[in-house]
Structures are given as C-alpha cells and as structure tokens.
Amino acid sequence: MHVIHRVAKGAIHTISISAVLTLTAASSLAAAEPASAGARLPAGPASGAPEPASARPPSRTPGTAGADSARVMAHAPSKYEVLVSATRRASDPIEVPNGATVVSGAELKRRGARTLADALQDVVGLDTGEGSDNGMRLPNVGMWGLKEFDALLITLDGVPVGGPFNPSLSQIDVNGIERIEIVKGPQGAMYGASGFAGMVQVFSRHEEETKGHVTLGGGSFTDLRADAALERTLSDGVHARLSGFSQRSDGWQDRTGFSIDRGALGLSKSFGGSNVSLDLSGYRDNQAWGTPMPYDLGLPLPGFVVDRNYAVSGARLEHRVFSAVTKLTTTLAEGREIAGSLSYARDHQTSLRSFPMDFPNADTAGSEGVLLEPHETAVFGDAHFLSRFQLSGAHEFTGGAAITWGRTIASGIGFDFDQALADPSTIPGVEDVPVGDHRSFEDRRTFLGVYAHDSWTPTRRFTVAGGGHYDHAHEKLHAFGQEVGGPAVTIDDSKTSGAWSGDLSGLVRLAPAGSSKLEALNAYANWKSSFKPAAPNLTEAESAEILEPERSHSVEGGFKLRAFARQIETGVSLFQMDLSNLVVSNLDALGNPVLMNAGSERFKGAEVDLTLSPGVLPGLTLYADYAHHDARFVEFTFVTPDGQFRDVGGERLELVPQDLIDARVAYRAPLGVSVWGALRYRGDRPLNRRNTFFVEPYEEYDAGANYDFGRGVVGVTGRNLGDSRHLVTESDIGDSQFYVAPPLRVSAEVSVRF
C-alpha cells in the first residue's frame, strides 16, 4: 500500500504544525499595539535629522467598527495604519523601501471577512482562496507567483503560527484582527530562516473603543457565530481584556461541518518607562475534512461530483491549542529601547484524511488514508535593542538574538479502502477498515539567530539601509514504520546547518519639500536573500531524511506616490526572485509522494495599485490593482508514475495565473448606510508541470452593505455572487487533485457596543 504523509514543501506530516519559530518580531511589534496595552511608538528621527513630510507619523485607524464610523475619512483607512513588519519600527508604508500593504481590521469588519482568504484576496499580487490540504476554510497563500504552503512567514502578534514546520493558520481568529501587514520578498535579514519569500503579520485587537461588544451572526450552510469582548482597567492599573468566540457550520461540501471555540485573556501594565503584558489563549477547532477534485487530461475524472466528499467517514482536522505570550518593553532614554518576549505553545492535533488515488474503472475508486495524532510543544524567545542616533546623519539601528525550540511527536496508522463513486453509503469509517501499517515519528528543531540592521539617512532626500541575520539550525529526526505482517523500519537522521541572510535597500524622496499637492514621491530599490532549513521527508519511514536547505534571492524596485491630501495614492514595483534547492512534492516511479530539492525556480513580474479618495465625495474610495507574474521552473526534472523522465525547465508553475486584477468601490457614512463591491480576475493557469493543460480565466464578485445605528452595526455580505466554481489550490498529497472554490454564500451579523 502507499503510505501517505503530507508532501507539501517544508511539511513533515499530514496536518499543519503550530510550532513557534525563531527570529520573530514579537516584542518589537509592541511599538504598534494600542496605547492601552502599554505599547509605545518609537521616537521621531534622531535629533538634527530633517524629517520628510511623508515620514511624519501617520494617523491611526481605530480598531473597531464603531470608532471607525465616527467620522468619514477621505482616504482608504488602511493607509493611516503604521507598518512594523519591514523594519521592526512603526513606519509610514510610503517610507518603506519594499512592496508592502496594510489591511485594517475595521475594513475587514465592514467587508464581512470571515476567513483569512476573505481578508487577503484583494491585496495586490496575492492569489488565495478558501480550501487546501489543511482544511476547507484555510487558504494556501500565493505571493509573487509562489504558492508553497511554508514559503511565507505568517505570524500572530509577532509569534509565527507554524514556525519551522507548516503554518497553522487555524490559530488566526479573523474576527479579532486589528490589522494585517503584508511584506513581499525574502525577509530573512530581519526575521531569519522562515522569512523565506515574504511575510504576513496579523495583529490581534487588544482594545475596545468602548467597554466591550457583543456580535451575533449567521449565513449560508447553517452557519451560526457569536463573539464578545469586555475591557476593564483594574484598580491596580492593570488593563484587562477578555474575549470569546464560537462558530458552528455545516460546511458547503458534503460532510464538512466545523465547530470553533476560542477564549483569550490579555493583561498589561505600564510603570515608569516600561510595559509588561501577558496574553493567554486557547481554542478548539474541529474541521470535518473534504476531498479535492481529481483531474485527468485537463478535465474532472468521470464519476466525481464537485460538492461530494469522498473521504473516509469521520475525516477531520482537529486542533486543541493553549498558548501564552509575555512581552516586556523598556525605554532606556530618548530614542533607545530594549524589548523581549517569551512564548509557549502546546497543540494536540488529530488528522484523519483519505484521498482517491486509484481508479480501476469509471465506477470505483481506491482510496489511501492516514490517521495521525501529533502533539507539538514549542518555546520561543527574542530580545533586541533599538536605537536612534546621529552619526553623519540619522541612524535607526536594531540588533538582537532569538531562540526557538520545538518538538513534534506523532503516531498513527495507514489504511486503504474501495468505494463505489455513485453510492456514498459504501464509504466506510476508519474503524471498519483494516490497518495497513503503523507509523510514528519524533522531530526536534532548535534555531539560534543573531541579527543587526541599520537605516542611515544622511540627507532628507536619501535613506540607505542594510543588515544581516545568521541562523544556526539543528534538527534531529526519528521515524518508524511497519507494514502489517512486514518488517519494522526505523530511521534516525540529524543535520546541523547555518547561513547568513541579508538585505540592502535605498529610498530616494523626490517630492519638493513643503509641497501642498505632491506629498510624497519615493523611489526605492532593494536586494534580499534568505536561508531556510528544509523540513524532513517523511513520506516513507525507509526514506525519511532531512533535506538540504533552501535559498532565496530577490531584487525589487519601484515608486510610491501620495498627492492632493491623500486623495491619490499609487505604487508600482518590479521584481525578480530566484529560489534554489527549493523543496517541492513529486511522485516516485511507484506513484508514492516524495519530497525533493527541485533545482531552481524564478519568479518575476510587475505590480501596480491605485487608490482614489475624492475630497468632493467624502467617504467614497475607489481602488484597483494589476499584477503580472511570470513564475517558471528553471531547472527541474522528475519521473512520472509510469517511469517516464520529464524535464520542465522553462515551463510555468502549475495553477499560477500570469494576470491578476482586483477592483473595489466603497462608500462609508458616519451613520446610516455604507456599501461596497469588489471584483477579482485571474487569468488562465496551467494544470500540470508540462503545461499541456490549462484552466480558463475566472471572475469573482463580492458585495455588501452595513447600517450603523450609533450603538452598533448591522451588516450583510455576499461572496462569490456569480457562483464561480473555479479551482483555488492544488493538493500536495493527491496527485492531480484540486480544491474548488465555495459556491455563492450570504452572511449577516449584528454587533452592539456597550
């Protein structure tokens, strides 16, 4: 029988891992947290350095819908957010020499975002949709044309949600987002090994504009949800926030219902020039799992129905997580600060999945499945120093060190079964299927990193920045496997590796000083590199091994413009990113999934976005973006299941569109009715590595309306109004199998503030 494990790039087992990774900005991100949590914004430029108009601290969009609707701004709200991710300091995005975007949580609330895909799908150059090997609600985020699950560093309040293993996106509560920061290209100079090709930083809401809120909602597929939060300042000056969330849904695919329960307590206290905080959280996420759609010769296999689920009965992905994060920030003197953080996470998981893998005739499918119960423990620590000083101009220096220790242990079984495609009653439960094999593994990783970065502004017109990050990584792996009736196989492997990541950038301010019309016109260029230890290959115990590290290098250049009191904002960027030794999934000559170092791939293209907020029509915002991505294999060969050798050098990566367009219009009123609508277009995409089959372009439409009645908001949202059933993600386990977009769906909610 075939033994199935997750074979996505960097994956080690059948479900995502939530280890907390090294080299994060957890403590430094306190600079952008709400004041009530004791966070402090960095001081202004070093004494004597001229401050460009565009670099002045931006206004801040309130974090709740109520405060956000208290007044109508003549600009996109996200443009007033600070950006921390690119530099570890609160910065105006237009001053960051990098392609970067900020999405405000208030805007997500207005648009009725319920999943991470909803939150990210209208960001220029991102390609994402609901559904992946990790669940029907969880996306595989594509950036610059790279759509590998662990290529991006994804953090929640500075703590990576997956670290050296796969991102555990179930940890992110979309309902409680303060803002999301997206920074493109390798980020290893600041964040080390896991900032391989870009990063997505999610910041939770840590304060209420009033004392609290209660929200009730529902929608298609018997979706019911509720959340509430209460905020108080206790007698000893401790700020406390208690929040909870619960959701139940039947799911849009057959047998894919889910239940989520979350709770969190945040405490913080300021004293003198210091602030200390403690965040405790726990959740249980039980997602019934559904199979992707098998394709052959560019078409769905006969006998398979889009919304039917062919997984073993009871298939599910379950997380039971507890985490604790504490942070300390201390101001030593004007412009000097030290910050530290320590986090602990424990994730008990259950993964039961199966995939149709063998098709002896048009009426029957043979499926292969795995039941695993991984337990993961992770500890993360970071400490760094930030300083502003004068030396032939203004400097902003950051230096620090980080350590992460993580362990994942798992045991389980593999099994096979046959089913009649036209008769769902022939799908058995795992308890009714003979055990085919037993397997277990233990994987330990320790990351140590040191980093330093400096930004130098010798004149008002010009800033140059650069830095480096050295990672020392050690991994130890033990794997066991035994077919029923066969010999036991035990493998032990270990690897120690280390490498530098770095960046160099420059930004030129071209706008005339004091201009009332052209507020900022900044040209920038950067070079970046990153290093990432590859995760082990656990597709078979006898071939378990820790693969070679991967490398990324990129160059990017562009400009950012802001004019007419923020009525016009636009940005243009050109990029090229090269990946070498990249780990991808493939099949061996026997049809078994394997991981391999794939040679090299290249991603290049251009992106442009434009926001118009006409002052003559307060509250109206028009947004549009276009991206052209050319993602290709440079050197890559593989063997097909029937033993044929293939060379796909020069071909496009599968399921990556070359042309991406987003457009959105929104009208926001201080009270009363607000409306919005969005359109996204994705061009044709190859279905296979040889580019012999393509899927047609698709369009998707969303729209919604909100009514603010002063003490609360009522909202209605429609998603995929054209009912497009396009493919969103390719499975990394099932060969030539693809997840399909959810159908048209409607949701509504009412939120009351008190």
Side-chain angles (χ1 to χ4, degrees):
M1 72 172 273
H2 297 165
V3 181
I4 303 178
H5 284 278
R6 177 166 180 77
V7 294
K9 182 177 90 57
I12 67 170
H13 54 69
T14 59
I15 56 180
S16 60
I17 301 297
S18 62
V20 182
L21 157 79
T22 186
L23 318 175
T24 184
S27 55
S28 65
L29 298 181
E33 292 178 352
S36 61
R40 301 169 60 90
L41 286 177
S47 177
E51 181 185 16
S54 62
R56 288 191 291 269
S59 303
R60 183 173 173 273
T61 301
T64 64
D68 191 72
S69 63
R71 63 190 180 94
V72 176
M73 302 178 190
H75 55 79
S78 63
K79 300 299 182 179
Y80 267 77
E81 296 284 357
V82 295
L83 179 71
V84 174
S85 302
T87 63
R88 289 185 180 258
R89 297 177 180 271
S91 305
D92 187 334
I94 207 167
E95 287 292 305
V96 175
N98 204 126
T101 302
V102 181
V103 180
S104 76
E107 182 68 18
L108 296 180
K109 290 287 287 183
R110 278 190 298 274
R111 300 209 307 258
R114 294 198 166 194
T115 66
L116 192 59
D118 292 343
L120 296 175
Q121 61 190 1
D122 292 330
V123 174
V124 58
L126 293 195
D127 181 28
T128 185
E130 292 183 34
S132 69
D133 286 335
N134 291 282
M136 311 311 295
R137 309 182 333 271
L138 302 180
N140 192 354
V141 181
M143 182 183 293
W144 278 3
L146 177 61
K147 207 170 185 179
E148 298 291 348
F149 202 75
D150 76 336
L152 304 181
L153 171 60
I154 301 178
T155 71
L156 176 62
D157 295 322
V159 176
V161 290
F165 308 109
N166 276 351
S168 181
L169 300 185
S170 67
Q171 293 187 32
I172 298 174
D173 178 11
V174 176
N175 183 73
I177 291 176
E178 168 72 18
R179 72 181 188 281
I180 304 175
E181 300 181 358
I182 301 99
V183 186
K184 299 174 182 177
Q187 302 298 311
M190 278 289 189
Y191 299 99
S194 284
F196 185 64
M199 67 187 306
V200 177
Q201 296 245 39
V202 179
F203 295 87
S204 299
R205 186 183 310 143
H206 285 96
E207 67 174 358
E208 298 285 316
E209 294 296 334
T210 56
K211 294 181 179 180
H213 76 272
V214 174
T215 301
L216 299 175
S220 303
F221 316 115
T222 321
D223 182 89
L224 298 173
R225 52 193 284 130
D227 76 88
L230 178 65
E231 181 178 299
R232 289 290 187 273
T233 299
L234 307 180
S235 58
D236 55 359
V238 174
H239 178 269
R241 184 177 189 271
L242 181 66
S243 62
F245 172 81
S246 184
Q247 183 177 9
R248 301 290 186 270
S249 176
D250 289 343
W252 62 266
Q253 189 179 8
D254 181 33
R255 298 187 290 119
T256 56
F258 62 87
S259 62
I260 308 171
D261 297 293
R262 300 179 184 269
L265 172 64
L267 303 169
S268 66
K269 181 177 176 62
S270 296
F271 48 94
S274 300
N275 174 263
V276 62
S277 65
L278 173 65
D279 291 293
L280 305 174
S281 65
Y283 75 91
R284 178 180 179 273
D285 185 331
N286 189 358
Q287 166 74 73
W289 187 81
T291 51
M293 174 66 65
Y295 270 64
D296 185 39
L297 301 178
L299 296 171
L301 275 177
F304 283 85
V305 180
V306 170
D307 291 339
R308 185 169 295 171
N309 185 0
Y310 300 90
V312 63
S313 180
R316 68 190 186 279
L317 295 171
E318 184 175 8
H319 293 263
R320 300 173 300 282
V321 178
F322 169 78
S323 65
V325 181
T326 183
K327 302 178 185 180
L328 173 66
T329 304
T330 299
T331 300
L332 302 176
E334 183 67 25
R336 291 177 175 83
E337 182 180 281
I338 58 172
S341 63
L342 181 66
S343 69
Y344 168 88
R346 178 74 170 171
D347 188 1
H348 290 190
Q349 308 172 28
T350 300
S351 172
L352 173 59
R353 294 182 297 180
S354 67
F355 292 79
M357 303 290 278
D358 183 36
F359 312 100
N361 56 61
D363 302 319
T364 305
S367 293
E368 303 172 10
V370 169
L371 169 62
L372 275 181
E373 294 187 345
H375 291 179
E376 178 194 307
T377 304
V379 178
F380 158 79
D382 174 271
H384 61 267
F385 171 72
L386 301 96
S387 177
R388 283 188 169 95
F389 61 92
Q390 283 287 324
L391 182 63
S392 300
H395 289 260
E396 294 184 341
F397 174 81
T398 302
I403 182 171
T404 290
W405 174 86
R407 182 185 70 170
T408 300
I409 58 175
S411 61
I413 61 171
F415 56 89
D416 297 338
F417 67 91
D418 293 330
Q419 61 178 291
L421 295 179
D423 185 3
S425 67
T426 62
I427 298 176
V430 67
E431 65 278 0
D432 301 320
V433 179
V435 175
D437 69 79
H438 298 271
R439 81 273 309 277
S440 64
F441 65 83
E442 179 177 358
D443 188 30
R444 296 173 182 255
R445 278 192 168 192
T446 302
F447 282 8
L448 293 170
V450 293
Y451 53 92
H453 196 274
D454 187 46
S455 177
W456 176 42
T457 304
T459 70
R460 187 190 71 85
R461 293 286 186 184
F462 180 64
T463 296
V464 60
H469 198 303
Y470 184 78
D471 285 299
H472 175 86
H474 176 73
E475 182 168 10
K476 185 176 181 180
L477 169 68
H478 171 81
F480 166 85
Q482 183 176 23
E483 299 276 348
V484 172
V489 177
T490 300
I491 296 293
D492 290 282
D493 193 11
S494 65
K495 186 182 290 290
T496 299
S497 56
W500 283 94
S501 300
D503 70 6
L504 181 65
S505 65
L507 183 140
V508 179
R509 301 173 183 87
L510 303 175
S515 172
S516 60
K517 295 182 179 180
L518 183 59
E519 300 165 57
L521 176 57
N522 296 343
Y524 70 91
N526 65 62
W527 169 88
K528 298 177 182 292
S529 71
S530 195
F531 149 87
K532 188 176 78 65
N537 182 356
L538 287 173
T539 55
E540 299 274 2
E542 59 267 25
S543 60
E545 62 174 326
I546 302 172
L547 300 173
E548 294 301 314
E550 305 166 326
R551 296 292 321 204
S552 60
H553 302 273
S554 75
V555 292
E556 180 191 7
F559 74 85
K560 303 178 183 183
L561 177 146
R562 179 183 294 157
F564 299 104
R566 298 179 180 257
Q567 294 184 69
I568 300 177
E569 298 193 65
T570 187
V572 176
S573 69
L574 304 173
F575 66 87
Q576 178 172 312
M577 180 171 65
D578 294 281
L579 307 183
S580 57
N581 250 16
L582 182 67
V583 174
V584 300
S585 61
N586 198 11
L587 297 178
D588 63 17
L590 299 177
N592 296 319
V594 295
L595 292 178
M596 61 173 58
N597 292 103
S600 57
E601 300 173 0
R602 175 168 295 163
F603 305 81
K604 60 182 180 180
E607 298 178 351
V608 57
D609 65 272
L610 172 66
T611 301
L612 301 177
S613 306
V616 295
L617 297 171
L620 179 67
T621 300
L622 305 173
Y623 171 84
D625 67 53
Y626 170 75
H628 179 79
H629 293 165
D630 188 17
R632 295 184 181 272
F633 298 104
V634 177
E635 296 179 352
F636 182 45
T637 60
F638 65 96
V639 177
T640 64
D642 58 1
Q644 298 185 53
F645 179 82
R646 301 293 189 189
D647 184 347
V648 293
E651 301 292 351
R652 289 169 55 186
L653 268 66
E654 56 268 48
L655 219 63
V656 175
Q658 285 193 323
D659 298 304
L660 304 87
I661 299 174
D662 301 304
R664 187 171 63 250
V665 58
Y667 170 74
R668 299 167 50 209
L671 290 173
V673 177
S674 298
V675 295
W676 63 275
L679 160 70
R680 63 195 63 91
Y681 166 88
R682 301 295 183 262
D684 62 2
R685 298 166 292 164
L687 275 177
N688 58 351
R689 292 189 177 115
R690 291 191 294 149
N691 292 187
T692 52
F693 303 103
F694 286 75
V695 290
E696 296 294 322
Y698 72 87
E699 303 88 25
E700 193 172 27
Y701 310 89
D702 300 336
N706 300 279
Y707 179 79
D708 192 317
F709 54 88
R711 295 297 299 175
V713 178
V714 177
V716 178
T717 301
R719 299 279 177 189
N720 193 11
L721 297 177
D723 202 26
S724 172
R725 306 309 304 276
H726 53 274
L727 306 181
V728 294
T729 304
E730 182 178 11
S731 172
D732 290 310
I733 302 175
D735 182 39
S736 298
Q737 298 187 28
F738 301 87
Y739 293 94
V740 180
L744 183 154
R745 54 208 183 275
V746 178
S747 63
E749 69 176 31
V750 56
S751 182
V752 177
R753 301 178 290 271
F754 57 87

